[in-house]
Amino acid sequence: MTKKEFLEELSNAMQLDYTLKEDQDLNEVEEYDSLALLSVSALFSEHFNLEIEGRVLRNCQKVSDLIALAKDHIKD
């Protein structure tokens, strides 16, 4: 998966009507709530076969932190 595809999938998982940017602060994304954390966790599981704990996702500050969690599966 490319980084662009991941950003689109991530935006869809969070039910956003725009595409997230890599340098975007997650605290500024109103929809990044507990439901979004579940959706993002499911995204990692479904696409990358990675089980990411909720506390790890909650500690992510920027979209780039989420990208880093799947760095071995995402191409530039």
Side-chain angles (χ1 to χ4, degrees):
M1 176 179 292
T2 66
K3 196 178 294 183
K4 180 181 183 220
E5 291 169 333
F6 176 74
L7 292 172
E8 290 170 357
E9 288 288 336
L10 185 61
S11 299
N12 287 336
M14 294 171 59
Q15 299 181 349
L16 301 175
D17 58 357
Y18 61 91
T19 301
L20 293 164
K21 299 194 181 333
E22 185 174 355
D23 62 348
Q24 196 159 358
D25 188 338
L26 290 168
N27 293 324
E28 295 175 1
V29 178
E30 184 177 333
E31 294 85 354
Y32 195 64
D33 56 14
S34 58
L35 182 58
L37 290 174
L38 289 172
S39 297
V40 172
S41 179
L43 172 81
F44 277 93
S45 179
E46 179 180 327
H47 288 281
F48 308 124
N49 200 28
L50 295 173
E51 298 300 323
I52 308 292
E53 294 181 19
R55 66 177 176 77
V56 173
L57 293 175
R58 280 191 303 276
N59 287 334
C60 291
Q61 299 296 309
K62 293 193 171 282
V63 173
S64 59
D65 296 332
L66 295 174
I67 292 170
L69 294 174
K71 65 182 179 240
D72 295 334
H73 303 277
I74 297 175
K75 301 177 279 186
D76 285 331

